[in-house]
Amino acid sequence: MKSQANPLVAVVLSTGMLWPLTQAAVTPYSGSEANTAFLFHLDDTSGSVAANSASGAAASKLQALTVDGNPLSGTGAATNVTTLWGGVAFPGFGTAANLSGADDLGLPIDVTGPSAVPDGTFVASGGTNADTISLSSIMGTDSAFTIEALVNIPNLTTASRSIAQTDSSNGNDTRGFQFRISNGNVELNSIGLFSNNGTGATTFAIPTTGANAFVANEWFHIALVYTNASGAESSTIYWTRVNAATEQASVLGTTGNEGVDPAWVSPLVIGNEGRNTGSGVNMWEGLRGLIDEVRISKVARTPTQFIFTPNGDTDGDELLDSWELIHFRENESETVVQVLAKQGKTGNPDGDSADNFTEQNAGSDPNNAQSIPGDIDGDGLGDPWEITHFGVITAQDGNGDPDNDYAYNEDEETAGTDPSGTDGSTSFPDSEPDGLSDGWELFRFDDLDEIANGDPDHDLYTNAEEYTAGTDPTQQLSALDSDTDGLNDGWEALYFHLTGESRATTLAKQTGTGDPDGDHYSNEEEEAASTNPTTAQKPSDTDADGLLDSWEQFHFTNLDETGTGNTDGDSANHSAEQAAGSNPTLASSTPADIDGDGTLDTEEAFHPYTADSNTLHLWHLDEVDQAAADAGSGALSMAALNANGRLWAPSLAGFATGLDPSPGRGTLTGGALAAKPLVNGTSDNATLTYAGVDGAFTFEAIVRIDFDPAVAPATVNPMQILTGEADEAASRVWQFRLVPVGGAGNTAGTAPLLEFINLHAETAIQSLSVALPISSDPDAIAQGGWYHVAVAYNGTEATADNFKFYWTLLDSTRTQANEVFSGQMTSDLITATPDFTIGNEGRDFGSGVGSTDSFLGVVDEVRISDIARTPAQFLFAGGDDDSDNDDLPDSWETTYFDGLAEIATGDFEHDGTDNLTEYRLGLIPNGGSSRFAATRTSGGAIQWPSVTGVTFKIERSINLSGWSTLEAAFAGTAGTASYTDPEPPAGKAFYKITLNP
């Protein structure tokens, strides 16, 4: 603190206000006052009753109980509760009673018992033993009485919070009065007189502004004062915030409309009502808060006769008794006389520059050496200076910086600058001057050598701009996103700025969705991962060695390996093993035999599909990193692999790699492979065809089970296989999933459910499910097993058996799929653009993270077809599936010809295309309209039926006698192939398309 005034009597502030010369105090009541009938300090830390501290004749006969249950429970005894003591009271008041735990707690007065002594049992009625009082017993001259308490409640919204009631269940004429807080008001209701004649209760609104404004969970004094002098009834309500600056209670309102009858006889209950109103907490009127210092007096007390102690100086040392009690009373056991004897006018207990008299008059703390006249809050700032800039002295201290200019208030006081920011934060200590705050320069650079136009971090923003923006001028990546493209401007400067370019030119080069290095990771994803968007480094391979970080960590627990390494010493290096899905630490596992069983993958029983004419989508999932290609006619690339998803997981032998979305399962980092980066919105909605024109479809995959299906896993969330979900209802299409034991709808099950939910845009949602086979069933689900799973729908709505589930164990003896359910789906799937995902759902979470429903295992070979495939159209041709050695798989022949009589060169439907060609091109051999034929478009392109994995020879002739080869091995594409002659001859020409062997 700098130079300050040190007055002896009072501090006159620059605003013209005079600092208060005195303070009041609040202290517990003494029970010796003659007019006190009941006084409950509620400091009872043991036992089940609240002691009455009043010293009058009634004190030996009256006590309060704490009860759990409505205080008046029929005619039986209430149950004593010993756990309601010890609530945090206002400082100096010991402890309080905690009635906040339930609506049904209160303090009924225990009046009678054997020998007219309280017996610790509350009895609602029963002659001489009834715990009731006559209202006249708490009245004095002019029928006057006062009921008061300290209360601390959390809010004003609950209907009724009782302070005190003389209420009963014995008819309206004996119900007495209700004194309570009700819906933001203090209410007095003389219900015993007026309940039958239409007169309502009197209410006074509790203030919400000013010194006595309600504050949640703070202490307030509340009182009811009644008198009937000369037959003029008057009731006054008080509501006053409890603090040391208050000298008397504040009147909330006065009424003459609420009378009382001294002859009323009923229970008197503090903190609740006293009658049995039925069951349910809404029928009871518990305080639901803290209560303390309850006093009932036989006199109409005045505003200065309550808890607030007025000023006085009984020891004549010119120090107010209340001031001495506040500052020098060390514990409740000290008497007032003992406290007043500790200090005098010239005392100086804190050893600062001011004696007690000076500190009293200034309002500073005599026990704190930092608190002195002129700086009574001891914060190092002159009080007049604080009042000038902040209006009060408590808002700031010397180390504050409210205008965020990096200059402390103490520095601003010395420099004479404005610390409040009311001048636009342009006023700050600047000793050079260079337009930069000295505090900011020292904070950011440890010196004052920088200039306003400097750009030491090369983020294209000057120091002055960074000071204004609040960014760090020493950190290039602490910058704005001024073009709102999702990229930090400093990050864009780091990777894309060229010398001499303007900031605008640099920022215009890229957007958040750009991918300048073509690694399928957007600039936003690269920025989030701190990888270089212009090199081979990418979020999934941060050391840019060609090996995915997750693959290296899984197999080697580090990132120290290289693509050319060969840890297991077999025939393949790490890069080759990663691409094939084989184990780089196991010599028997090679790219040609990933399971290391000695059988080449090409000779295994099952092989991946080749897309046929009904294949809309086919994902082999052999890419090991995004994006995953689609071999079907729909050609939808799965472009976004979310957190913890692994595309490099070893699949079934012969299928290379697959998707393992399970790391992070049950959390928002569960893996998901999606068509677009997932966001909570519509920008991740994908356009795809997932059914035929008639609504028919088949969804299928092969899956490995990595959990014990007989018990509930750690998280019982569903396990999504393939979903068309969305954040918005209109695009919610379907979920195809497993529900484990213990999951929703399967809490009592003994096996997982296979479930398909037709979400139907959240209208008429239909769920179809079946328990999967267990025990000795040939297709029983088991941990570690590989299975083919499918759902097929024939497109005819609301007809019997239009919907089927298939679940089949993959072993070499199986030649067709195993149907496990046949039922009826009511409606076709809606046509929409969903969040399309494999291995998880794609809704209700933000970009770059997964959902909680990831599949616990591996998903591979996902196919969507536009027909309801039959059991023989599943699984995978190979091995001994050609028992008659005619190059036509038995399963294919059985599907289309109901037997094996056909041969490769046959032409069953005489459409000019032999059976082998129809098989190889995925055509229908028993339908004449499906054949190998070429057509010419209006634009000159030649088109013909095609699949991936085959090649075609394209020839041209001008006279049909000689042919020239244009393409010897033109690669097939899914669905339809197309070729345009780049140099067509003048006049006519003939073209010939041949399927290569």
Side-chain angles (χ1 to χ4, degrees):
M1 188 188 73
K2 312 312 171 193
S3 177
Q4 297 173 323
N6 188 9
L8 295 178
V9 179
V11 178
V12 179
L13 303 176
S14 61
T15 58
M17 295 183 293
L18 183 66
W19 193 261
L21 296 177
T22 61
Q23 287 182 297
V26 288
T27 55
Y29 291 126
S30 168
S32 61
E33 209 276 341
N35 291 315
T36 302
F38 294 92
L39 176 59
F40 300 108
H41 293 304
L42 302 179
D43 296 333
D44 311 84
T45 58
S46 63
S48 61
V49 299
N52 180 15
S53 297
S55 59
S60 62
K61 300 179 182 179
L62 303 173
Q63 65 186 21
L65 308 176
T66 51
V67 299
D68 185 6
N70 189 275
L72 177 54
S73 53
T75 58
T79 303
N80 296 334
V81 177
T82 62
T83 58
L84 305 180
W85 309 113
V88 178
F90 188 84
F93 284 76
T95 59
N98 186 351
L99 306 184
S100 62
D103 288 349
D104 52 355
L105 302 173
L107 298 165
I109 306 298
D110 184 13
V111 179
T112 62
S115 303
V117 174
D119 56 12
T121 301
F122 180 75
V123 180
S125 61
T128 58
N129 288 325
D131 284 311
T132 57
I133 66 169
S134 170
L135 190 60
S136 63
S137 68
I138 63 170
M139 288 179 165
T141 303
D142 294 329
S143 299
F145 69 91
T146 301
I147 298 177
E148 61 182 301
L150 302 186
V151 294
N152 180 312
I153 58 177
N155 58 65
L156 298 175
T157 59
T158 305
S160 295
R161 298 176 182 270
S162 177
I163 307 300
Q165 298 196 33
T166 59
D167 206 346
S168 76
S169 298
N170 296 326
N172 290 329
D173 293 338
T174 61
R175 290 186 62 187
F177 67 87
Q178 297 168 331
F179 179 41
R180 60 194 180 186
I181 296 172
S182 179
N183 293 317
N185 302 294
V186 178
E187 177 184 307
L188 175 60
N189 185 10
S190 297
I191 195 167
L193 291 179
F194 301 131
S195 62
N196 287 328
N197 62 14
T199 302
T202 296
T203 61
F204 299 102
I206 294 174
T208 57
T209 61
N212 297 306
F214 175 77
V215 179
N217 302 312
E218 294 202 10
W219 286 97
F220 290 84
H221 175 268
I222 187 170
L224 161 64
V225 177
Y226 172 82
T227 185
N228 188 13
S230 302
E233 291 186 303
S234 176
S235 298
T236 302
I237 305 296
Y238 292 86
W239 174 268
T240 315
R241 188 171 182 176
V242 181
N243 61 58
T246 304
E247 296 190 17
Q248 65 180 33
S250 175
V251 175
L252 199 60
T254 300
T255 179
N257 293 331
E258 301 294 330
V260 297
D261 185 346
W264 282 337
V265 177
S266 58
L268 174 57
V269 181
I270 306 298
N272 209 327
E273 62 180 335
R275 67 192 187 111
N276 185 9
T277 60
S279 61
V281 296
N282 291 328
M283 301 299 291
W284 299 329
E285 299 181 357
L287 177 69
R288 292 175 287 271
L290 300 171
I291 193 168
D292 200 9
E293 204 68 8
V294 178
R295 184 171 69 165
I296 300 177
S297 306
K298 297 182 176 183
V299 65
R301 295 198 180 272
T302 65
T304 60
Q305 292 178 315
F306 290 114
I307 202 74
F308 311 101
T309 305
N311 295 303
D313 180 18
T314 58
D315 58 349
D317 61 356
E318 298 187 54
L319 301 178
L320 297 173
D321 293 351
S322 58
W323 188 84
E324 293 189 76
L325 288 169
I326 288 173
H327 292 293
F328 304 129
R329 191 173 196 174
E330 297 178 22
N331 57 66
E332 295 301 314
S333 64
E334 288 185 316
T335 66
V336 173
V337 173
Q338 288 173 323
V339 175
L340 299 183
K342 289 183 178 182
Q343 290 288 331
K345 175 179 180 179
T346 60
N348 189 5
D350 59 3
D352 59 12
S353 59
D355 61 21
N356 287 329
F357 184 71
T358 304
E359 299 231 38
Q360 172 188 256
N361 291 342
S364 52
D365 186 348
N367 297 308
N368 180 0
Q370 303 302 314
S371 174
I372 61 176
D375 182 14
I376 65 175
D377 58 347
D379 62 357
L381 302 175
D383 295 336
W385 187 82
E386 290 191 82
I387 292 294
T388 297
H389 292 291
F390 307 122
V392 294
I393 66 171
T394 55
Q396 290 288 324
D397 60 22
N399 293 322
D401 182 19
D403 56 1
N404 297 312
D405 63 357
Y406 292 86
Y408 296 132
N409 288 327
E410 193 163 322
D411 298 324
E412 301 237 32
E413 183 182 20
T414 300
T417 52
D418 184 355
S420 64
T422 57
D423 61 356
S425 299
T426 59
S427 176
F428 47 76
D430 183 11
S431 59
E432 292 108 302
D434 59 0
L436 301 175
S437 164
D438 290 351
W440 184 78
E441 289 190 77
L442 291 172
F443 178 78
R444 295 298 188 186
F445 305 111
D446 295 324
D447 58 45
L448 301 178
D449 298 337
E450 288 296 323
I451 61 174
N453 290 329
D455 181 15
D457 60 358
H458 306 292
D459 64 354
L460 308 182
Y461 286 88
T462 66
N463 288 326
E465 289 175 314
E466 300 235 31
Y467 172 75
T468 301
T471 52
D472 189 342
T474 67
Q475 298 293 326
Q476 188 173 25
L477 300 185
S478 173
L480 304 174
D481 178 14
S482 61
D483 55 348
T484 63
D485 62 354
L487 302 175
N488 179 285
D489 292 351
W491 186 84
E492 294 190 75
L494 174 63
Y495 291 110
F496 307 117
H497 179 66
L498 298 177
T499 303
E501 279 185 344
S502 68
R503 184 167 68 203
T505 298
T506 297
L507 298 184
K509 291 180 178 180
Q510 289 290 328
T511 65
T513 57
D515 181 17
D517 56 6
D519 61 2
H520 299 289
Y521 286 92
S522 69
N523 286 324
E524 280 188 311
E525 291 173 304
E526 300 247 24
E527 181 184 19
S530 298
T531 52
N532 191 325
T534 67
T535 70
Q537 186 190 36
K538 57 185 177 180
S540 59
D541 182 14
T542 57
D543 55 354
D545 62 356
L547 302 178
L548 301 180
D549 293 350
S550 57
W551 187 84
E552 287 189 83
Q553 290 284 1
F554 181 83
H555 288 294
F556 306 112
T557 69
N558 59 56
L559 300 181
D560 299 336
E561 300 300 320
T562 64
T564 58
N566 189 358
T567 300
D568 58 7
D570 61 11
S571 59
N573 62 23
H574 292 150
S575 292
E577 300 237 33
Q578 175 183 258
S582 54
N583 190 334
T585 66
L586 184 64
S588 61
S589 174
T590 67
D593 180 14
I594 64 169
D595 61 353
D597 65 352
T599 300
L600 294 177
D601 293 343
T602 56
E603 298 177 2
E604 296 282 357
F606 302 108
H607 297 288
Y609 286 125
T610 297
D612 61 22
S613 59
N614 295 116
T615 302
L616 295 172
H617 306 281
L618 173 58
W619 295 279
H620 297 301
L621 304 181
D622 295 336
E623 286 76 11
V624 308
D625 195 12
Q626 62 179 26
D630 181 359
S633 60
L636 178 66
S637 174
M638 300 299 284
L641 180 64
N642 280 12
N644 282 321
R646 299 171 177 172
L647 267 173
W648 48 260
S651 187
L652 181 67
F655 290 83
T657 60
L659 170 67
D660 181 356
S662 61
R665 171 168 163 73
T667 71
L668 287 178
T669 57
L673 181 63
K676 294 183 178 181
L678 295 172
V679 297
N680 192 349
T682 59
S683 63
D684 57 352
N685 291 24
T687 300
L688 76 159
T689 302
Y690 41 81
V693 293
D694 59 353
F697 65 83
T698 302
F699 300 155
E700 61 182 302
I702 64 172
V703 296
R704 188 182 73 204
I705 302 302
D706 286 353
F707 63 97
D708 184 347
V711 299
T715 171
V716 295
N717 291 359
M719 301 179 187
Q720 303 288 349
I721 301 170
L722 185 69
T723 70
E725 264 286 11
D727 303 300
E728 67 285 355
S731 294
R732 297 192 67 195
V733 186
W734 84 86
Q735 291 184 359
F736 182 32
R737 66 191 194 178
L738 295 187
V739 181
V741 169
N746 198 21
T747 55
T750 58
L753 298 179
L754 182 60
E755 182 177 33
F756 186 85
I757 306 177
N758 185 348
L759 296 168
H760 213 259
E762 295 187 357
T763 61
I765 295 174
Q766 183 183 13
S767 173
L768 298 124
S769 63
V770 62
L772 291 175
I774 57 175
S775 303
S776 59
D777 190 288
D779 296 289
I781 183 172
Q783 187 167 4
W786 277 97
Y787 300 86
H788 172 266
V789 58
V791 56
Y793 169 68
N794 68 15
T796 305
E797 295 176 287
T799 58
D801 299 317
N802 63 1
F803 177 95
K804 298 181 184 298
F805 279 131
Y806 297 92
W807 178 265
T808 315
L809 176 68
L810 293 178
D811 68 46
S812 59
T813 66
R814 309 308 292 272
T815 59
Q816 65 178 25
N818 173 50
E819 182 183 309
V820 291
F821 176 85
S822 180
Q824 177 177 302
M825 193 161 81
T826 304
S827 303
D828 289 349
L829 298 180
I830 63 169
T831 300
T833 56
D835 300 349
F836 181 69
T837 50
I838 299 174
N840 211 329
E841 67 170 335
R843 68 184 187 111
D844 290 342
F845 48 90
S847 177
V849 299
S851 177
T852 58
D853 291 357
S854 54
F855 190 85
L856 189 48
V858 176
V859 180
D860 199 9
E861 202 67 6
V862 179
R863 184 170 70 164
I864 296 179
S865 303
D866 62 5
I867 59 171
R869 293 193 183 270
T870 63
Q873 292 177 303
F874 289 120
L875 303 181
F876 315 101
D880 60 357
D881 193 35
D882 185 15
S883 60
D884 56 353
N885 297 314
D886 61 356
D887 294 325
L888 300 177
D890 293 350
S891 58
W892 187 81
E893 289 189 78
T894 301
T895 297
Y896 292 108
F897 308 122
D898 296 324
L900 304 180
E902 287 295 314
I903 59 175
T905 58
D907 182 4
F908 180 83
E909 81 280 59
H910 306 292
D911 63 356
T913 304
D914 62 56
N915 291 329
L916 182 59
T917 299
E918 299 235 24
Y919 164 67
R920 293 183 63 199
L921 294 181
L923 302 175
I924 307 301
N926 57 3
S929 62
S930 175
R931 62 195 184 95
F932 182 34
T935 59
R936 181 179 180 275
T937 69
S938 59
I942 304 169
Q943 295 183 337
W944 64 92
S946 174
V947 294
T948 58
V950 300
T951 63
F952 300 89
K953 183 180 181 181
I954 304 176
E955 299 173 273
R956 183 181 66 198
S957 174
I958 60 174
N959 53 19
L960 294 179
S961 61
W963 294 88
S964 59
T965 300
L966 301 178
E967 294 282 349
F970 185 79
T973 56
T976 301
S978 180
Y979 175 80
T980 300
D981 190 345
E983 297 180 356
K988 64 181 180 180
F990 303 92
Y991 294 85
K992 180 167 59 176
I993 313 298
T994 306
L995 174 62
N996 290 324

